[in-house]
Amino acid sequence: MPPLMTKLVDLDFRSEVPVFDSNVALGRRHDRRVPGATPDDLLTEMDRFDIERALVYCQHAVTFDAGEGNRMLLEMLGGHRDRLIPQFAFNPAYDNLETFVKSTSDADVRSVRIAPVQHKYPLRSWVAGEFIAWAAGLERPRELPQEPTPVWVSAFDVDPSHLADLLETVPALKIVLCEPHYTQIPWIVPLLRARPNLYVELSRAVIGDAIPRLIEAAGHSRVLHGSWWPEGSLAAQLYALNRCGLDEEKLSAICAGNLEGLLR
C-alpha cells in the first residue's frame, strides 16, 4: 500500500465516543438472501468495532407482514435486549392500531417504522390518520404516556410532498428519515431546514460533503448515526462521522445521545 494511504486509513478504527446505531435489520427476507440475519451475526460485528447498542427491526415486518415480523423480532432478541433494542413496524392500511398499541406497550417498544411504498399505501391522513395521531401523542389511552412515539421511514419509501405536508400539519409528530441517498439531498436539506420535527439518519449519505450539509441544515441535535446493516457496513459511515471534524459533544450526540433522547 502506498505510504499516503497508510496515513489516511485507520485499519484498527474504533469510535471516539459510545455508539448506539439507529438503523439495523434482523431476520431473513422473503425475497432474497441477506449477508447477516441473526442476533449472533450482528453482535459479532458490533463487537469488532466496540458498538454498544443498536435499534433493530425485523426484515420480514417491512418486506412482508408487519405483525408477524414484530413477533419474530421479539423471539429473535431473546436475552439480548440489553444491547439490541426492538423497533416495531406498522402498516396503517392493514394492521389494527389498538392491537399494535398494546403490543408496543407490553414489549416496551418506543419507536415505530413505517414503509408506505413497500406496504402499498400513501402517507396521507385518510389512510394513516389514526396512527399519526397516536404517534404524535395526540390520541392515547390514559394509562399510556402522552408523548410522541418517533417514526422511522426510509427516504425511498415516502413522497417528499406528502412528508412535508404531514410534518407541517402535525408538528408534534417526530419523523426520522432513513437512508438518504445523494440523489435525494436536494429535497432533504430544505425540508430539514423548514421542518423542526424532521430528523435524519446518515447511513447512505456518502457523498463527500453530505454529513456537514445535513448537520448544517438540521443542527447536530436532529442527526442520528445509523449503518443500514446488513445492507451496509456497521463501521463505514461511523468512520466518516468520526473523521469529519466534530467536537466531542456533537459527535456524542449524533452517535448515541440524540437516539437516546428520542427513545426517552
Side-chain angles (χ1 to χ4, degrees), residues 166-199:
L166 177 60
L167 290 164
E168 181 178 20
T169 304
V170 190
L173 183 66
K174 296 181 179 181
I175 288 187
V176 177
L177 192 65
C178 303
E179 298 127 37
H181 193 257
Y182 70 89
T183 58
Q184 298 160 325
I185 295 296
W187 65 262
I188 291 174
V189 165
L191 189 56
L192 284 167
R193 291 189 176 125
R195 301 289 183 262
N197 48 337
L198 180 64
Y199 296 68

mmCIF file of all heavy atoms in Angstrom, residues 166-199:
data_model
loop_
_atom_site.group_PDB
_atom_site.id
_atom_site.type_symbol
_atom_site.label_atom_id
_atom_site.label_comp_id
_atom_site.label_asym_id
_atom_site.label_seq_id
_atom_site.Cartn_x
_atom_site.Cartn_y
_atom_site.Cartn_z
ATOM 1 N N LEU A 166 -47.335 16.460 5.962
ATOM 2 C CA LEU A 166 -47.587 15.807 7.239
ATOM 3 C C LEU A 166 -46.827 16.490 8.368
ATOM 4 O O LEU A 166 -47.374 16.753 9.451
ATOM 5 C CB LEU A 166 -47.185 14.336 7.147
ATOM 6 C CG LEU A 166 -47.306 13.502 8.424
ATOM 7 C CD1 LEU A 166 -48.737 13.481 8.920
ATOM 8 C CD2 LEU A 166 -46.794 12.090 8.179
ATOM 9 N N LEU A 167 -45.558 16.795 8.150
ATOM 10 C CA LEU A 167 -44.744 17.431 9.175
ATOM 11 C C LEU A 167 -45.276 18.819 9.536
ATOM 12 O O LEU A 167 -45.199 19.243 10.695
ATOM 13 C CB LEU A 167 -43.296 17.535 8.703
ATOM 14 C CG LEU A 167 -42.535 16.212 8.602
ATOM 15 C CD1 LEU A 167 -41.277 16.387 7.761
ATOM 16 C CD2 LEU A 167 -42.174 15.687 9.984
ATOM 17 N N GLU A 168 -45.812 19.530 8.554
ATOM 18 C CA GLU A 168 -46.380 20.860 8.821
ATOM 19 C C GLU A 168 -47.717 20.751 9.543
ATOM 20 O O GLU A 168 -48.000 21.509 10.477
ATOM 21 C CB GLU A 168 -46.561 21.621 7.512
ATOM 22 C CG GLU A 168 -47.117 23.026 7.703
ATOM 23 C CD GLU A 168 -47.247 23.795 6.401
ATOM 24 O OE1 GLU A 168 -47.266 23.153 5.330
ATOM 25 O OE2 GLU A 168 -47.304 25.037 6.453
ATOM 26 N N THR A 169 -48.542 19.805 9.137
ATOM 27 C CA THR A 169 -49.882 19.666 9.700
ATOM 28 C C THR A 169 -49.851 19.135 11.133
ATOM 29 O O THR A 169 -50.691 19.514 11.955
ATOM 30 C CB THR A 169 -50.723 18.714 8.825
ATOM 31 O OG1 THR A 169 -50.730 19.207 7.483
ATOM 32 C CG2 THR A 169 -52.153 18.624 9.329
ATOM 33 N N VAL A 170 -48.886 18.255 11.425
ATOM 34 C CA VAL A 170 -48.802 17.620 12.748
ATOM 35 C C VAL A 170 -47.416 17.921 13.338
ATOM 36 O O VAL A 170 -46.521 17.073 13.326
ATOM 37 C CB VAL A 170 -49.039 16.102 12.654
ATOM 38 C CG1 VAL A 170 -49.204 15.495 14.048
ATOM 39 C CG2 VAL A 170 -50.247 15.776 11.800
ATOM 40 N N PRO A 171 -47.216 19.113 13.882
ATOM 41 C CA PRO A 171 -45.877 19.490 14.370
ATOM 42 C C PRO A 171 -45.398 18.671 15.564
ATOM 43 O O PRO A 171 -44.197 18.646 15.843
ATOM 44 C CB PRO A 171 -46.040 20.971 14.742
ATOM 45 C CG PRO A 171 -47.518 21.169 14.927
ATOM 46 C CD PRO A 171 -48.173 20.226 13.984
ATOM 47 N N ALA A 172 -46.312 18.001 16.283
ATOM 48 C CA ALA A 172 -45.895 17.166 17.418
ATOM 49 C C ALA A 172 -45.297 15.841 16.963
ATOM 50 O O ALA A 172 -44.639 15.154 17.751
ATOM 51 C CB ALA A 172 -47.087 16.899 18.333
ATOM 52 N N LEU A 173 -45.523 15.476 15.718
ATOM 53 C CA LEU A 173 -45.007 14.213 15.186
ATOM 54 C C LEU A 173 -43.500 14.320 14.942
ATOM 55 O O LEU A 173 -43.022 15.313 14.391
ATOM 56 C CB LEU A 173 -45.717 13.878 13.879
ATOM 57 C CG LEU A 173 -45.364 12.552 13.208
ATOM 58 C CD1 LEU A 173 -45.799 11.372 14.062
ATOM 59 C CD2 LEU A 173 -46.006 12.475 11.824
ATOM 60 N N LYS A 174 -42.753 13.297 15.336
ATOM 61 C CA LYS A 174 -41.311 13.254 15.103
ATOM 62 C C LYS A 174 -41.003 12.125 14.125
ATOM 63 O O LYS A 174 -41.311 10.963 14.397
ATOM 64 C CB LYS A 174 -40.558 13.037 16.414
ATOM 65 C CG LYS A 174 -40.726 14.183 17.399
ATOM 66 C CD LYS A 174 -39.942 13.941 18.672
ATOM 67 C CE LYS A 174 -40.094 15.117 19.634
ATOM 68 N NZ LYS A 174 -39.317 14.904 20.881
ATOM 69 N N ILE A 175 -40.417 12.483 13.000
ATOM 70 C CA ILE A 175 -40.094 11.500 11.961
ATOM 71 C C ILE A 175 -38.591 11.487 11.723
ATOM 72 O O ILE A 175 -37.955 12.530 11.590
ATOM 73 C CB ILE A 175 -40.846 11.808 10.660
ATOM 74 C CG1 ILE A 175 -42.334 11.489 10.836
ATOM 75 C CG2 ILE A 175 -40.269 11.015 9.488
ATOM 76 C CD1 ILE A 175 -43.159 11.590 9.578
ATOM 77 N N VAL A 176 -38.035 10.267 11.674
ATOM 78 C CA VAL A 176 -36.628 10.065 11.344
ATOM 79 C C VAL A 176 -36.551 9.560 9.909
ATOM 80 O O VAL A 176 -37.055 8.476 9.597
ATOM 81 C CB VAL A 176 -35.962 9.067 12.303
ATOM 82 C CG1 VAL A 176 -34.513 8.822 11.889
ATOM 83 C CG2 VAL A 176 -36.031 9.573 13.743
ATOM 84 N N LEU A 177 -35.954 10.335 9.037
ATOM 85 C CA LEU A 177 -35.801 9.970 7.634
ATOM 86 C C LEU A 177 -34.520 9.153 7.476
ATOM 87 O O LEU A 177 -33.426 9.636 7.771
ATOM 88 C CB LEU A 177 -35.752 11.225 6.774
ATOM 89 C CG LEU A 177 -35.883 11.041 5.265
ATOM 90 C CD1 LEU A 177 -37.263 10.489 4.908
ATOM 91 C CD2 LEU A 177 -35.647 12.360 4.553
ATOM 92 N N CYS A 178 -34.658 7.916 7.014
ATOM 93 C CA CYS A 178 -33.527 6.982 6.967
ATOM 94 C C CYS A 178 -32.981 6.816 5.553
ATOM 95 O O CYS A 178 -33.690 7.032 4.568
ATOM 96 C CB CYS A 178 -33.964 5.601 7.464
ATOM 97 S SG CYS A 178 -34.638 5.606 9.115
ATOM 98 N N GLU A 179 -31.737 6.397 5.500
ATOM 99 C CA GLU A 179 -31.079 6.002 4.251
ATOM 100 C C GLU A 179 -31.138 7.082 3.169
ATOM 101 O O GLU A 179 -31.475 6.807 2.008
ATOM 102 C CB GLU A 179 -31.684 4.691 3.729
ATOM 103 C CG GLU A 179 -31.508 3.513 4.650
ATOM 104 C CD GLU A 179 -32.825 2.823 4.955
ATOM 105 O OE1 GLU A 179 -33.669 2.724 4.057
ATOM 106 O OE2 GLU A 179 -33.015 2.385 6.112
ATOM 107 N N PRO A 180 -30.812 8.336 3.501
ATOM 108 C CA PRO A 180 -30.859 9.388 2.490
ATOM 109 C C PRO A 180 -29.781 9.184 1.432
ATOM 110 O O PRO A 180 -28.600 9.101 1.741
ATOM 111 C CB PRO A 180 -30.605 10.662 3.304
ATOM 112 C CG PRO A 180 -29.773 10.193 4.459
ATOM 113 C CD PRO A 180 -30.278 8.823 4.790
ATOM 114 N N HIS A 181 -30.191 9.125 0.192
ATOM 115 C CA HIS A 181 -29.281 8.912 -0.928
ATOM 116 C C HIS A 181 -28.839 10.265 -1.485
ATOM 117 O O HIS A 181 -29.548 11.275 -1.339
ATOM 118 C CB HIS A 181 -30.001 8.111 -2.013
ATOM 119 C CG HIS A 181 -29.114 7.562 -3.070
ATOM 120 N ND1 HIS A 181 -29.013 8.129 -4.317
ATOM 121 C CD2 HIS A 181 -28.281 6.492 -3.069
ATOM 122 C CE1 HIS A 181 -28.167 7.435 -5.063
ATOM 123 N NE2 HIS A 181 -27.711 6.441 -4.331
ATOM 124 N N TYR A 182 -27.685 10.282 -2.131
ATOM 125 C CA TYR A 182 -27.182 11.570 -2.639
ATOM 126 C C TYR A 182 -28.142 12.201 -3.635
ATOM 127 O O TYR A 182 -28.218 13.435 -3.750
ATOM 128 C CB TYR A 182 -25.787 11.408 -3.252
ATOM 129 C CG TYR A 182 -25.721 10.649 -4.553
ATOM 130 C CD1 TYR A 182 -25.855 11.306 -5.772
ATOM 131 C CD2 TYR A 182 -25.509 9.270 -4.566
ATOM 132 C CE1 TYR A 182 -25.795 10.623 -6.968
ATOM 133 C CE2 TYR A 182 -25.451 8.579 -5.763
ATOM 134 C CZ TYR A 182 -25.590 9.243 -6.962
ATOM 135 O OH TYR A 182 -25.534 8.560 -8.153
ATOM 136 N N THR A 183 -28.927 11.400 -4.348
ATOM 137 C CA THR A 183 -29.883 11.955 -5.299
ATOM 138 C C THR A 183 -31.063 12.633 -4.610
ATOM 139 O O THR A 183 -31.812 13.374 -5.263
ATOM 140 C CB THR A 183 -30.415 10.847 -6.220
ATOM 141 O OG1 THR A 183 -31.035 9.818 -5.425
ATOM 142 C CG2 THR A 183 -29.297 10.230 -7.039
ATOM 143 N N GLN A 184 -31.233 12.395 -3.315
ATOM 144 C CA GLN A 184 -32.356 12.987 -2.574
ATOM 145 C C GLN A 184 -31.950 14.198 -1.742
ATOM 146 O O GLN A 184 -32.818 14.885 -1.196
ATOM 147 C CB GLN A 184 -32.975 11.910 -1.662
ATOM 148 C CG GLN A 184 -33.554 10.736 -2.443
ATOM 149 C CD GLN A 184 -33.722 9.498 -1.582
ATOM 150 O OE1 GLN A 184 -32.916 9.238 -0.700
ATOM 151 N NE2 GLN A 184 -34.774 8.736 -1.839
ATOM 152 N N ILE A 185 -30.646 14.470 -1.660
ATOM 153 C CA ILE A 185 -30.172 15.606 -0.871
ATOM 154 C C ILE A 185 -30.840 16.922 -1.297
ATOM 155 O O ILE A 185 -31.164 17.759 -0.441
ATOM 156 C CB ILE A 185 -28.637 15.718 -0.955
ATOM 157 C CG1 ILE A 185 -27.976 14.492 -0.302
ATOM 158 C CG2 ILE A 185 -28.139 17.003 -0.310
ATOM 159 C CD1 ILE A 185 -28.229 14.342 1.168
ATOM 160 N N PRO A 186 -31.108 17.157 -2.607
ATOM 161 C CA PRO A 186 -31.722 18.426 -2.992
ATOM 162 C C PRO A 186 -33.072 18.714 -2.343
ATOM 163 O O PRO A 186 -33.413 19.895 -2.165
ATOM 164 C CB PRO A 186 -31.855 18.288 -4.521
ATOM 165 C CG PRO A 186 -30.732 17.385 -4.905
ATOM 166 C CD PRO A 186 -30.651 16.386 -3.791
ATOM 167 N N TRP A 187 -33.851 17.683 -1.987
ATOM 168 C CA TRP A 187 -35.105 17.977 -1.285
ATOM 169 C C TRP A 187 -35.016 17.737 0.222
ATOM 170 O O TRP A 187 -35.761 18.344 0.996
ATOM 171 C CB TRP A 187 -36.283 17.193 -1.878
ATOM 172 C CG TRP A 187 -36.266 15.694 -1.765
ATOM 173 C CD1 TRP A 187 -35.874 14.808 -2.714
ATOM 174 C CD2 TRP A 187 -36.706 14.888 -0.642
ATOM 175 N NE1 TRP A 187 -36.024 13.510 -2.270
ATOM 176 C CE2 TRP A 187 -36.540 13.526 -1.005
ATOM 177 C CE3 TRP A 187 -37.224 15.176 0.614
ATOM 178 C CZ2 TRP A 187 -36.867 12.463 -0.143
ATOM 179 C CZ3 TRP A 187 -37.559 14.123 1.471
ATOM 180 C CH2 TRP A 187 -37.382 12.798 1.081
ATOM 181 N N ILE A 188 -34.083 16.884 0.652
ATOM 182 C CA ILE A 188 -33.971 16.604 2.083
ATOM 183 C C ILE A 188 -33.421 17.808 2.840
ATOM 184 O O ILE A 188 -33.926 18.170 3.918
ATOM 185 C CB ILE A 188 -33.084 15.369 2.326
ATOM 186 C CG1 ILE A 188 -33.802 14.105 1.839
ATOM 187 C CG2 ILE A 188 -32.734 15.234 3.805
ATOM 188 C CD1 ILE A 188 -32.960 12.842 1.908
ATOM 189 N N VAL A 189 -32.402 18.479 2.306
ATOM 190 C CA VAL A 189 -31.792 19.610 3.004
ATOM 191 C C VAL A 189 -32.796 20.735 3.247
ATOM 192 O O VAL A 189 -32.955 21.205 4.386
ATOM 193 C CB VAL A 189 -30.540 20.100 2.247
ATOM 194 C CG1 VAL A 189 -30.115 21.480 2.753
ATOM 195 C CG2 VAL A 189 -29.392 19.104 2.432
ATOM 196 N N PRO A 190 -33.529 21.217 2.239
ATOM 197 C CA PRO A 190 -34.501 22.281 2.537
ATOM 198 C C PRO A 190 -35.638 21.826 3.444
ATOM 199 O O PRO A 190 -36.161 22.624 4.226
ATOM 200 C CB PRO A 190 -35.024 22.695 1.155
ATOM 201 C CG PRO A 190 -34.631 21.602 0.228
ATOM 202 C CD PRO A 190 -33.411 20.973 0.787
ATOM 203 N N LEU A 191 -36.010 20.549 3.361
ATOM 204 C CA LEU A 191 -37.070 20.060 4.238
ATOM 205 C C LEU A 191 -36.598 20.027 5.692
ATOM 206 O O LEU A 191 -37.358 20.348 6.611
ATOM 207 C CB LEU A 191 -37.540 18.674 3.789
ATOM 208 C CG LEU A 191 -38.798 18.124 4.476
ATOM 209 C CD1 LEU A 191 -39.966 19.086 4.326
ATOM 210 C CD2 LEU A 191 -39.164 16.755 3.908
ATOM 211 N N LEU A 192 -35.352 19.648 5.929
ATOM 212 C CA LEU A 192 -34.798 19.690 7.276
ATOM 213 C C LEU A 192 -34.784 21.123 7.819
ATOM 214 O O LEU A 192 -35.067 21.359 9.000
ATOM 215 C CB LEU A 192 -33.379 19.125 7.285
ATOM 216 C CG LEU A 192 -33.232 17.608 7.206
ATOM 217 C CD1 LEU A 192 -31.788 17.233 6.915
ATOM 218 C CD2 LEU A 192 -33.693 16.943 8.507
ATOM 219 N N ARG A 193 -34.461 22.072 6.979
ATOM 220 C CA ARG A 193 -34.441 23.468 7.413
ATOM 221 C C ARG A 193 -35.850 23.968 7.738
ATOM 222 O O ARG A 193 -36.035 24.764 8.657
ATOM 223 C CB ARG A 193 -33.826 24.343 6.321
ATOM 224 C CG ARG A 193 -32.326 24.123 6.114
ATOM 225 C CD ARG A 193 -31.753 25.162 5.180
ATOM 226 N NE ARG A 193 -30.305 25.014 5.045
ATOM 227 C CZ ARG A 193 -29.675 24.874 3.884
ATOM 228 N NH1 ARG A 193 -30.360 24.879 2.752
ATOM 229 N NH2 ARG A 193 -28.359 24.745 3.846
ATOM 230 N N ALA A 194 -36.833 23.483 6.986
ATOM 231 C CA ALA A 194 -38.192 24.002 7.122
ATOM 232 C C ALA A 194 -39.005 23.324 8.219
ATOM 233 O O ALA A 194 -39.946 23.926 8.746
ATOM 234 C CB ALA A 194 -38.930 23.849 5.782
ATOM 235 N N ARG A 195 -38.660 22.083 8.570
ATOM 236 C CA ARG A 195 -39.499 21.305 9.491
ATOM 237 C C ARG A 195 -38.674 20.839 10.687
ATOM 238 O O ARG A 195 -37.930 19.866 10.612
ATOM 239 C CB ARG A 195 -40.104 20.101 8.768
ATOM 240 C CG ARG A 195 -40.959 20.451 7.556
ATOM 241 C CD ARG A 195 -42.283 21.098 7.974
ATOM 242 N NE ARG A 195 -43.111 21.367 6.808
ATOM 243 C CZ ARG A 195 -43.188 22.555 6.202
ATOM 244 N NH1 ARG A 195 -42.479 23.585 6.671
ATOM 245 N NH2 ARG A 195 -43.962 22.717 5.145
ATOM 246 N N PRO A 196 -38.808 21.500 11.837
ATOM 247 C CA PRO A 196 -38.002 21.146 13.011
ATOM 248 C C PRO A 196 -38.358 19.808 13.631
ATOM 249 O O PRO A 196 -37.632 19.340 14.519
ATOM 250 C CB PRO A 196 -38.289 22.296 13.985
ATOM 251 C CG PRO A 196 -39.615 22.838 13.561
ATOM 252 C CD PRO A 196 -39.645 22.683 12.073
ATOM 253 N N ASN A 197 -39.436 19.182 13.189
ATOM 254 C CA ASN A 197 -39.801 17.853 13.703
ATOM 255 C C ASN A 197 -39.301 16.726 12.809
ATOM 256 O O ASN A 197 -39.671 15.565 12.989
ATOM 257 C CB ASN A 197 -41.315 17.730 13.909
ATOM 258 C CG ASN A 197 -42.148 18.206 12.717
ATOM 259 O OD1 ASN A 197 -41.687 19.010 11.905
ATOM 260 N ND2 ASN A 197 -43.372 17.728 12.625
ATOM 261 N N LEU A 198 -38.435 17.046 11.841
ATOM 262 C CA LEU A 198 -37.822 16.033 10.987
ATOM 263 C C LEU A 198 -36.376 15.793 11.428
ATOM 264 O O LEU A 198 -35.609 16.738 11.610
ATOM 265 C CB LEU A 198 -37.837 16.470 9.523
ATOM 266 C CG LEU A 198 -37.215 15.492 8.512
ATOM 267 C CD1 LEU A 198 -38.003 14.183 8.461
ATOM 268 C CD2 LEU A 198 -37.134 16.112 7.126
ATOM 269 N N TYR A 199 -36.024 14.528 11.588
ATOM 270 C CA TYR A 199 -34.668 14.092 11.918
ATOM 271 C C TYR A 199 -34.109 13.315 10.719
ATOM 272 O O TYR A 199 -34.876 12.880 9.853
ATOM 273 C CB TYR A 199 -34.673 13.181 13.149
ATOM 274 C CG TYR A 199 -35.130 13.855 14.426
ATOM 275 C CD1 TYR A 199 -36.452 14.272 14.593
ATOM 276 C CD2 TYR A 199 -34.248 14.048 15.486
ATOM 277 C CE1 TYR A 199 -36.869 14.891 15.762
ATOM 278 C CE2 TYR A 199 -34.656 14.659 16.670
ATOM 279 C CZ TYR A 199 -35.967 15.074 16.795
ATOM 280 O OH TYR A 199 -36.381 15.680 17.963
#
